[in-house]
Amino acid sequence: MKTNLQVESKEVISDKYDSAKIISNLSSVLDGNTLEECVGPIFYRDVKECLDILDIGYKVSAVGILGRAIELCTKLYFETLIKNKLAFQLNTGNKSIKQIREIFCGNNSKQDERLKLLNRQQVGKDSFKYRLNRQLLNKRFYNLLDSIRDARNKAFHGCSNDEYDLLCEESHLLIEWGLRILIELKKEIDQKSNQG
């Protein structure tokens, strides 16, 4: 059982998938800007660390580091796009927006619950139920972000050898698409912030 960063093996593969290849593949979404300009300073530190770690061969750890940036981004996305409790179809505890933000974005919040809520799934919390009026994360984004969340947990809390091998195989896909989604969410955050 793999349990931490010390046991992650560096694999040498002939078809190396590194940061340069990912950035090249992202050129259409970067639209002539740098990755730092697109993700902003809040997320860039983790993005740079993710790519640096990928380049030295720690693929699963790189996904985990990207997961940290995505978790922060989904909190900011939630807080920026959900301005009041009228955004909720279901709020059985009749909680204020401040209380809802604490539940889903506070220190004790959980990324899986936040992702489900943004995907317009019903989420139960402390015997209360919540559901948004509209879906803010489409199913594809939800599935990819949830896979990154799961990979982050496995990268830092351990997993079986088979799960680890699968994460190694999927890491390039999770990193590239995670960055695409991060860029998209950051654009939406910026647009919404500029409107209001």
Side-chain angles (χ1 to χ4, degrees):
M1 176 149 221
K2 311 265 185 215
T3 58
N4 58 37
L5 296 177
Q6 286 89 16
V7 297
E8 184 172 349
S9 64
K10 294 194 288 184
E11 296 178 29
V12 178
I13 52 176
S14 57
D15 185 24
K16 189 172 181 189
Y17 199 88
D18 61 6
S19 62
K21 184 167 182 158
I22 288 174
I23 291 170
S24 172
N25 291 349
L26 293 173
S27 63
S28 64
V29 292
L30 294 175
D31 198 29
N33 296 309
T34 65
L35 185 57
E36 183 175 9
E37 291 168 330
C38 289
V39 299
I42 296 172
F43 310 116
Y44 186 68
R45 192 186 97 224
D46 285 337
V47 167
K48 182 173 178 359
E49 186 177 347
C50 161
L51 295 174
D52 289 347
I53 289 172
L54 176 68
D55 284 345
I56 60 172
Y58 292 101
K59 299 182 279 188
V60 176
S61 295
V63 174
I65 298 300
L66 180 60
R68 187 170 62 198
I70 288 171
E71 181 172 3
L72 179 59
C73 182
T74 60
K75 286 181 178 183
L76 186 58
Y77 185 75
F78 186 104
E79 291 176 343
T80 303
L81 271 69
I82 301 171
K83 294 291 187 189
N84 58 52
K85 68 182 193 173
L86 296 176
F88 289 83
Q89 177 186 37
L90 198 56
N91 175 4
T92 59
N94 198 25
K95 303 280 187 183
S96 69
I97 192 63
K98 182 178 179 182
Q99 291 169 314
I100 292 170
R101 284 182 174 163
E102 182 59 33
I103 292 167
F104 291 102
C105 299
N107 291 334
N108 296 319
S109 64
K110 294 183 179 175
Q111 175 76 336
D112 63 330
E113 293 172 342
R114 185 172 36 262
L115 291 175
K116 286 177 184 175
L117 193 64
L118 290 170
N119 184 240
R120 200 175 177 265
Q121 296 178 38
Q122 182 173 304
V123 177
K125 193 79 173 160
D126 299 328
S127 74
F128 298 117
K129 295 178 183 166
Y130 304 89
R131 179 183 293 159
L132 290 172
N133 284 319
R134 68 183 186 95
Q135 186 181 52
L136 297 175
L137 275 184
N138 67 43
K139 192 69 173 169
R140 184 176 188 197
F141 278 19
Y142 167 78
N143 287 335
L144 283 161
L145 294 179
D146 194 54
S147 293
I148 292 169
R149 178 202 59 79
D150 186 51
R152 180 182 181 201
N153 287 341
K154 289 176 180 173
F156 296 118
H157 301 294
C159 60
S160 71
N161 289 336
D162 290 342
E163 288 173 316
Y164 180 82
D165 291 342
L166 183 61
L167 287 175
C168 284
E169 288 175 27
E170 294 177 342
S171 63
H172 67 280
L173 174 76
L174 293 174
I175 292 170
E176 183 175 327
W177 279 98
L179 287 171
R180 286 178 184 277
I181 294 169
L182 184 64
I183 291 166
E184 276 302 311
L185 296 182
K186 178 68 169 67
K187 277 183 195 173
E188 279 190 66
I189 290 167
D190 290 346
Q191 288 171 352
K192 198 69 169 175
S193 295
N194 290 336
Q195 290 174 359

